[in-house]
Amino acid sequence: MIEFLNLKRVNSPHQDEICAAIQRVIDSGWYILGRETELFEQEFAAYCGVKHCIGVGNGLDALSLILRAYGIGPGDEVIVPSNTFIATWLAVTYVGATPVPVEPDERTYNINPGLIEAAITRRTRAIMPVHLYGQPADMAPIIEIGKRHGLRIIEDAAQAHGASYRGSRTGGLGDAAGFSFYPGKNLGALGDGGAITTNDENLALKLRILRNYGSKVKYKHELMGINSRLDEIQAAILRVKLKYLDFENASRKTIAQIYFSTLATTPVILPFVINDADPVWHLFVIRSSDRVRLKATLDSAQIGNMIHYPISCHQQDAYSAFEFGPLPLAEILQKEVLSIPISPYITSSEALEVGAAIRSNFR
């Protein structure tokens, strides 16, 4: 059996260091907003090539706090991809703003920059591109549109730790970025966690207040904040795993290249990488017009697989009260995409076995 994702396998190479980091926190006697969080924020900011990192409770909080800090709320609109995990949309509606979906580039599944301008209205305040599956969105035209219309560019980088675009890492391409450290991410904690990266000094200061009950000084509350702080133990674990992120991303790229080679002559549609992007393959997503049969083939071969995502955001019950126009490409993708196993510790022989099983489906 080849599992889709085995987190024990992913974390076991670092187990001794992780246990030592946890013990270090226990011994410190300081468990919230302490030295480990401070050091992780410094290290992750340096890794992303930005001035500031603010650790928060999870990726959804990261995005919603950015919107709040920019004063985006009721009556405002935020342009989002039609094809994404629902957290992107939830961040917008959580602050009372309205998500305005834009269809993807059919090759990359990321938001299509050529369709963004038509979605801008006088209420638009921001564009929130998602670096879906670990592949950077085509940011240059998005940034240019944002500048021309005075809009904030907020990266949803929850799946793209270490990915780069034109030589710069995600997290430093827009005005601010939200990351998730959910355990299955390329940089995953052993629980929930998130962070915001930015070069905006004023934004960073406001975010540090908002995440901590709206307080900079204990018991003095300047803003109506929330409780969303990266836990000290998770920060310590992330400091360990950050040291190995580039190595593990390189391992993912090796597996991706095996898939490209072994599946090149099959009818499945393989991922397309734009020239300016260096993806980190959080997911390896293929497409098939007969996904049901392909999935059954993999299931019978005991090869793990998943559908990211089976129901488009605009078709979720959570958004039944909203009226969105037709989003046919997002609906096509939800019927055809299939994610196959990829992680830093899948072996080449396992990847070849996955490829052989897929090829067998078309004989």
Side-chain angles (χ1 to χ4, degrees):
M1 178 179 181
I2 299 175
E3 295 176 272
F4 181 75
L5 178 62
N6 183 326
L7 288 176
K8 184 175 180 180
R9 191 173 178 183
V10 169
N11 289 306
S12 62
H14 317 306
Q15 183 168 328
D16 289 346
E17 285 186 82
I18 287 171
C19 288
I22 293 171
Q23 189 63 52
R24 190 170 65 238
V25 175
I26 294 171
D27 292 343
S28 76
W30 193 287
Y31 308 124
I32 299 290
L33 292 183
R35 184 64 173 158
E36 297 294 337
T37 300
E38 180 184 353
L39 288 172
F40 173 73
E41 290 175 339
Q42 293 172 8
E43 291 159 5
F44 194 62
Y47 181 83
C48 294
V50 298
K51 296 177 182 177
H52 305 285
C53 171
I54 302 94
V56 295
N58 54 69
L60 175 55
D61 282 356
L63 295 174
S64 63
L65 282 168
I66 294 169
L67 293 168
R68 280 193 61 184
Y70 276 135
I72 297 172
D76 297 328
E77 295 176 350
V78 178
I79 291 174
V80 296
S82 63
N83 180 51
T84 185
F85 180 56
I86 198 169
T88 314
W89 288 42
L90 289 174
V92 176
T93 48
Y94 182 73
V95 299
T98 300
V100 177
V102 168
E103 288 272 74
D105 180 326
E106 191 169 3
R107 304 170 304 163
T108 66
Y109 315 144
N110 276 324
I111 193 168
N112 188 335
L115 302 177
I116 289 176
E117 208 145 15
I120 295 173
T121 73
R122 61 183 179 83
R123 292 191 175 92
T124 307
R125 295 284 309 280
I127 305 170
M128 190 179 285
V130 179
H131 306 307
L132 196 64
Y133 312 145
Q135 173 156 196
D138 192 3
M139 292 297 291
I142 296 172
I143 292 168
E144 191 276 329
I145 292 168
K147 287 180 179 177
R148 189 148 30 89
H149 292 272
L151 305 175
R152 297 291 184 182
I153 306 298
I154 301 168
E155 301 170 72
D156 182 338
Q159 300 182 7
H161 314 73
S164 62
Y165 176 87
R166 296 189 177 181
S168 296
R169 284 200 170 118
T170 55
L173 301 172
D175 293 295
F179 284 89
S180 166
F181 302 125
Y182 183 77
K185 304 297 187 183
N186 291 41
L187 180 59
L190 300 191
D192 271 324
I196 298 158
T197 55
T198 185
N199 285 311
D200 186 331
E201 184 103 24
N202 291 330
L203 179 72
L205 177 61
K206 191 170 184 181
L207 286 165
R208 292 186 191 282
I209 295 170
L210 282 172
R211 73 171 175 183
N212 188 37
Y213 297 102
S215 174
K216 183 167 58 175
V217 177
K218 195 174 180 73
Y219 300 131
K220 181 179 179 182
H221 302 273
E222 304 169 37
L223 302 170
M224 293 183 186
I226 63 171
N227 174 16
S228 182
R229 304 170 297 200
L230 181 61
D231 182 81
E232 276 288 281
I233 286 179
Q234 300 302 342
I237 293 167
L238 289 167
R239 291 186 65 211
V240 171
K241 298 186 71 177
L242 180 59
K243 295 186 294 184
Y244 302 99
L245 179 56
D246 285 344
F247 168 79
E248 293 184 343
N249 282 343
S251 297
R252 289 174 181 269
K253 292 175 186 179
T254 298
I255 300 303
Q257 287 307 311
I258 291 173
Y259 287 150
F260 278 115
S261 298
T262 57
L263 301 178
T265 58
T266 68
V268 300
I269 299 174
L270 295 170
F272 178 86
V273 180
I274 61 175
N275 289 332
D276 293 325
D278 183 13
V280 290
W281 304 110
H282 171 60
L283 298 172
F284 195 94
V285 179
I286 60 177
R287 279 177 65 190
S288 173
S289 57
D290 192 1
R291 184 180 67 192
V292 172
R293 180 185 170 197
L294 178 56
K295 191 176 192 315
T297 297
L298 293 176
D299 289 342
S300 65
Q302 294 190 301
I303 292 172
N305 58 88
M306 290 188 70
I307 299 170
H308 296 89
Y309 300 96
I311 304 173
S312 296
C313 295
H314 71 285
Q315 295 180 319
Q316 297 281 359
D317 289 345
Y319 289 98
S320 59
F322 289 71
E323 293 185 8
F324 300 108
L327 299 167
L329 186 49
E331 293 173 24
I332 290 170
L333 291 175
Q334 78 183 36
K335 293 179 176 67
E336 296 185 354
V337 293
L338 188 67
S339 302
I340 58 178
I342 192 163
S343 87
Y345 299 101
I346 286 180
T347 65
S348 296
S349 61
E350 287 173 326
L352 289 168
E353 186 178 338
V354 173
I358 293 172
R359 289 200 307 275
S360 73
N361 184 73
F362 300 102
R363 289 178 188 146

